[in-house]
Amino acid sequence: AANVHFAASIPNLLIAETIETGGEFHLKLIKNSIKWEDGYIIPPEGPGLGIEPNDTVWQHVRAKDRS
């Protein structure tokens, strides 16, 4: 989400790298996925970066890292 907001703040930006579809795992990490319209990415409008992490998935990922 940070790179989306950064890219949106640069008026003459040609291209930015990101994950277009998010993939199944990435879509589970955040509750409100980043939107695409007509080939353009739409910056989230919520507070902060505009995304809400899925705490259940993050806790599972963190637990795997500790083992």
Side-chain angles (χ1 to χ4, degrees):
N3 66 331
V4 173
H5 284 284
F6 178 70
S9 72
I10 302 172
N12 62 344
L13 180 77
L14 178 61
I15 191 168
E17 183 178 346
T18 190
I19 301 170
E20 183 175 352
T21 61
E24 186 177 334
F25 177 70
H26 290 98
L27 291 174
K28 289 179 182 179
L29 287 176
I30 55 174
K31 293 181 180 178
N32 51 334
S33 63
I34 295 174
K35 308 286 188 252
W36 290 81
E37 291 181 11
D38 298 324
Y40 293 93
I41 194 165
I42 309 301
E45 295 182 5
L49 293 176
I51 60 171
E52 183 180 351
N54 185 336
D55 293 330
T56 305
V57 175
W58 281 100
Q59 288 173 2
H60 178 72
V61 171
R62 283 188 225 133
K64 286 177 103 175
D65 287 343
R66 288 185 216 137
S67 56

